[in-house]
Structures are given as structure tokens and as C-alpha cells.
Amino acid sequence: MTLGPTAHVDTFARDNLPPFEEWPEILLDGYEYPEFINAAVELTDRMVEQGFGDHVALIGNGRRRTYKELTDWTNRLAHALTDHYGVKPGNRVLIRSANNPAMVACWLAATKAGAVVVNTMPMLRAGELAQIVDKAKVTIALCDTRLMDELVTCAKESRFLQQVIGFDGTANHDAELDRIALDKPVRYDAVRTGRDDVALLGFTSGTTGQPKATMHFHRDLLIIADGYAKEVLNVTPEDVFVGSPPLAFTFGLGGLAVFPLRFGAAATLLENASPPNLIEIIQTYKATVCFTAPTAYRAMLAAMDAGADLSSLRAAVSAGETLPAPVYEAWMAKTGKPMLDGIGATEMLHIFISNRFGDSHPACTGKPVRGYQARIVDDDMNELPRNTVGKLAVKGPTGCRYLADKRQHVYVRDGWNLTGDSFEQDDDGYFHFAARSDDMIISSGYNIAGPEVEAALLAHADVAECAVIGIADEARGQIVQAHVVLVAGVNASDAVVIRLQEHVKATIAPFKYPRSVVFVEALPKTATGKIQRFRLRQPD
């Protein structure tokens, strides 16, 4: 395998791709792109050239922006990044923001400048940001001025992060980056990146809490739109997208930025995508495509019972956690339209197995998206007979390429990506989710690594030992449960529970805190002292 030409003068990303023999097999049949292509140009300037200049591209913070406005805005920002701040093709640029149009504009601008973008969630604390900065050797960060504190704290200690530049995440355009961009021209000669140049580093925490960076090319950003969004969602310029996943997740970036912008549609962005806010936005803007987790769809069903009009929705996409059959059936009964369950992974960039309109079933994840192949295998990679639970293996036009990470050979075997999910395939070829193969806790669509929560708890003076597991929860799929041994002299109480929960929220991203705390005299262990978490999962 050979890679196409590169525009990167900072070659860090390409230098740190896995060796070719550790790559999954990449199946590009039907996904042909020119040797030089810049994904951000394809989603903005190219759309204006195709006549979409006056179409609304982004809605958020009380403003609608057309494709022409978005193109001019991102070109000015790109000028600021290259002319004023010295961003060079291949530099890693970290972005910290909630979901808003300014974050999308910064991502597009940095991509036009040939940077490798690292989008991060606003909930991350300085320590978590530091791990990302160190792994990707990030030198420049763009941050919503309302979220500067943790990133500034991170930068003070960092040997890599040299510049933290504020942008205005509201609609006021009144921060350092916005003021610099104001005087810049609206025309920008975007860097002629290669289709095989890394455009995006998607971070995933993995079960150890040590972040892994998944490397995605310019062509990959277009493949997910030209595959899943075109084939499964049948996106048209009349569509209005809405959803809850953070743009920092590749699921959110695809569903709320890449997919709508690729087809001249509009994206509605919510900084706080709580179910009530989602419901209001769907009604206000007559949204047609929604991306969220089953938890939110439950709330929407209740809202429809109370009189909410969500009839504009033609596609309800569920991912992030398994879709319970009762939610699917209730949605179908209420709306007459299927809920499209699918499975994706940060390593694969987006959804690779999905239900289709006219071909969807409850408790079923569907069939592979165009260009992908999937099979169920045993521990030795032998394909298992139908209706047998085993490991899901997949390959297609996208695939796992970790940034300098020994875990590459765990995710990729014999050319297949092993997603860490257990599935079975029925006689008709449909795939059905069984369970996560590892101990990752998936709560409301968020991946939470137990050891990271344990480390936060152990930093508290009251905790002698602890073990964290995921337990089933009707609303969230799973919740984090901590089994805690207190130090001598501290008595178990509700006050101690609250104290520990608040400590975790202040130490790591708040969504990772243990919603259930169980005080125990001792933890089950092996003869060598290793904690037996599986015993904690067993009913008494």
C-alpha cells in the first residue's frame, strides 16, 4: 500500500501512522476522490459554486448562516490562523467548545489551513486535556472564551501547547480570533491537502482511560457522507439536522456537520441538547433528521403524548447505545416511521451497519453500509455459524489507524477491525447486538472507562480502595457504580456519597461520576491481589 501526496510540512501525523502491515484492509471501490482534496473546501466553497450560496447551512445561538456566509467566515478565520498565528499544514490544532456554529467554523477553517484538528468536549478537565495535548503534540488551541479556565491551566504545565486563542462561541464575534479575522479577505486559497492527509484526530478513551487517537483522512470525512448519509439517510438540501452528540465525537461531527454540509442541508446546533431543548428545536425549525440516544427518544415519545408536534422528523437515528425494542416499537406506533438503529465507532469514523427505511426491525442493528463487510468471528478469527454470538469484525472504506499506539494490533487482526462488540448474525444476514466485549461502561451514549473513575475516587482522602463497574439502568443503558472501601474512622453515610460524587465531578468530566455508590468492607480479589470486578456484577 502506498499513500498519495501530502501537503503537510509538519509531518507528525503521517510519521505516526501505524505500519501498513497493521492496517485493516481498506476497501475503496466506489469511493474515488482526486489525489488532492480538502474536505472543508468541499463542504463550503464547493457548495457555493454548486448554487447553494443562499441556502441556510447552520442555525444556532439565534442566527441562521447561509453557505455563502459560512464560506466567507471560514476563509477569514483560515487567513487569521495562517497569516497571524502561523499555523502550518500538518500542525495539530485543538478546539474546545460546546456545539455551536463558531466551533464548526473553526473546525472548517483549521481544516482549510491544512491543520490536523483535534475536537474536544467542553466537559474535559485540565488533566484530561493534557493527555490529549501530549499524545498529539498539540501546539495551538482554539477555545470558546467561556471555557478557557481548564485549557489555560493545561497550557501552563504543557511543554507542547504554546498558544491558546479565544473565539466567541456566541453570535457576537467579539474575541481575539474573531477580531483578527474581521479584517481578513473572504477569499482564501485553501491548502491543497492530499486525500490521504490526516485531517482529524478522533480521541477515544478505551478501557484503560489512556486516550487513543484515531486518525482520519480528508477522504474519510467525505466517505461517511457519500456512504451512510447518502445511501441510508437519502439526505436532500431540504433536510434540517438536529441532535445531541458533541461535535467532539465523530458521531456528532458526522451527523451535525459533515452530513448536512455535504448535501446543501441545514444543521441546527444546540449547546445544551437536553431532551426538552431538542424537542423545542425540532418544532421551531421543523427538523427532519435527528441523531440522539434512546434516552432522548423516550423523552420525545412522552412529549408527543403531551401534545408536542414532531411530525417533521422523517429520520430518527439512534446510536451511542443499544436501542431497546420497546422504544423502537413505541416510536413506530406513534409516528409510523422507523427508528434507524446503527453501530459506528470512533475508529471507523461513523456508522457502518444500519437499518434502512423500509427494512428495519426491532432489536436489530441491520446490515452493512455500502462498501463495508461484516462477519461474526471467534477468538481465532474463524467465522462463526449464523445465530451464534461472537466478536463483530468489519472492514470497508474507513478503518482503524491509531496514532502511535501498541493497541493497533488488538483492534485490527487479519485485515479486519474488531470493534469490541459481541453480535450475532441471523439467517437473513441481519446483525443483532449482544453486549460489549470489554468492560467499557456506556451511559447515555458516553463511553466511560472504569479505571479512570477509580483513579479519581482513590485521590479522595476518605477512600481506601474502590472498584468501578457498569450496572444496567433503564433510562441510561448503564450507570457507573462504585464499590468503595472507606478508610478507618470514616463512617458510610449519604453525606459521604455526595462528597465523593462531587470530588469525581471536579476531578474528571462530570458525566463520569458514579451515580451509585456502594460501601463495602472489602473487595473480592484473586490470590495475587487483583480485584475481581466480575464478582461485583453478580447478584448477591
Side-chain angles (χ1 to χ4, degrees), residues 6-9 36-41 75 78 82 87-90 108-115 188-195 197 218:
T6 179
H8 288 179
V9 294
F36 292 98
I37 194 162
N38 186 305
V41 173
N75 285 343
T82 49
V87 171
K88 300 281 188 290
L108 290 165
T111 305
K112 285 182 175 183
Y188 178 77
D189 290 328
V191 172
R192 284 182 78 233
T193 41
R195 64 187 170 206
D197 271 332
H218 281 262

Side-chain angles (χ1 to χ4, degrees), residues 40-64:
V41 173
E42 298 303 309
L43 302 177
T44 53
D45 308 68
R46 194 76 65 240
M47 301 309 294
V48 174
E49 288 170 17
Q50 290 173 12
F52 291 101
D54 292 334
H55 278 236
V56 174
L58 300 178
I59 302 167
N61 284 340
R63 288 207 33 195
R64 297 172 191 243

Side-chain angles (χ1 to χ4, degrees), residues 19 66 75 83 115 146 178 218 224 354 415 463 486:
T66 64
N75 285 343
D83 308 348
R146 297 168 292 172
D178 308 276
H218 281 262
I224 60 172
S354 177
V463 178
L486 292 169

Side-chain angles (χ1 to χ4, degrees), residues 69-303:
E69 289 172 317
L70 180 62
T71 300
D72 293 352
W73 184 13
T74 53
N75 285 343
R76 282 193 170 114
L77 289 169
H79 269 294
L81 293 176
T82 49
D83 308 348
H84 190 84
Y85 295 106
V87 171
K88 300 281 188 290
N91 287 167
R92 274 74 58 219
V93 172
L94 181 145
I95 302 177
R96 174 175 169 81
S97 175
N99 285 12
N100 55 48
M103 180 180 187
V104 174
C106 285
W107 164 63
L108 290 165
T111 305
K112 285 182 175 183
V116 179
V117 179
V118 183
N119 291 316
T120 62
M121 282 198 303
M123 287 185 276
L124 296 184
R125 303 297 193 199
E128 294 160 311
L129 290 164
Q131 286 188 308
I132 290 170
V133 166
D134 289 352
K135 180 97 181 174
K137 294 187 168 52
V138 173
T139 52
I140 295 169
L142 312 180
C143 185
D144 187 320
T145 48
R146 297 168 292 172
L147 297 166
M148 293 287 269
D149 291 356
E150 297 285 340
L151 195 54
V152 169
T153 302
C154 167
K156 280 178 184 160
E157 302 287 318
S158 178
R159 54 203 177 105
F160 299 112
L161 186 52
Q162 295 155 11
Q163 298 185 79
V164 177
I165 305 157
F167 67 85
D168 191 341
T170 74
N172 297 327
H173 297 295
D174 190 28
E176 181 187 344
L177 181 61
D178 308 276
R179 290 192 287 271
I180 297 293
L182 204 57
D183 297 328
K184 299 296 181 187
V186 296
R187 293 195 176 280
Y188 178 77
D189 290 328
V191 172
R192 284 182 78 233
T193 41
R195 64 187 170 206
D196 298 336
D197 271 332
V198 178
L200 184 75
L201 294 180
F203 271 83
T204 176
S205 62
T207 47
T208 63
Q210 290 299 313
K212 296 182 291 236
T214 63
M215 311 178 77
H216 301 293
F217 298 164
H218 281 262
R219 68 163 187 234
D220 298 330
L221 292 169
L222 303 176
I223 282 169
I224 60 172
D226 298 345
Y228 173 79
K230 187 174 185 180
E231 183 222 348
V232 177
L233 296 181
N234 311 317
V235 182
T236 75
E238 281 64 55
D239 277 315
V240 178
F241 283 69
V242 70
S244 62
L247 290 162
F249 290 173
T250 57
F251 179 49
L253 189 71
L256 298 175
V258 177
F259 296 171
L261 296 178
R262 182 66 166 160
F263 299 103
T268 325
L269 299 169
L270 278 169
E271 293 194 355
N272 174 15
S274 64
N277 288 353
L278 270 179
I279 290 160
E280 183 189 347
I281 284 287
I282 291 165
Q283 293 185 109
T284 302
Y285 295 107
K286 301 288 181 278
T288 58
V289 181
C290 182
F291 281 82
T292 191
T295 321
Y297 286 123
R298 275 208 184 95
M300 288 185 202
L301 285 163

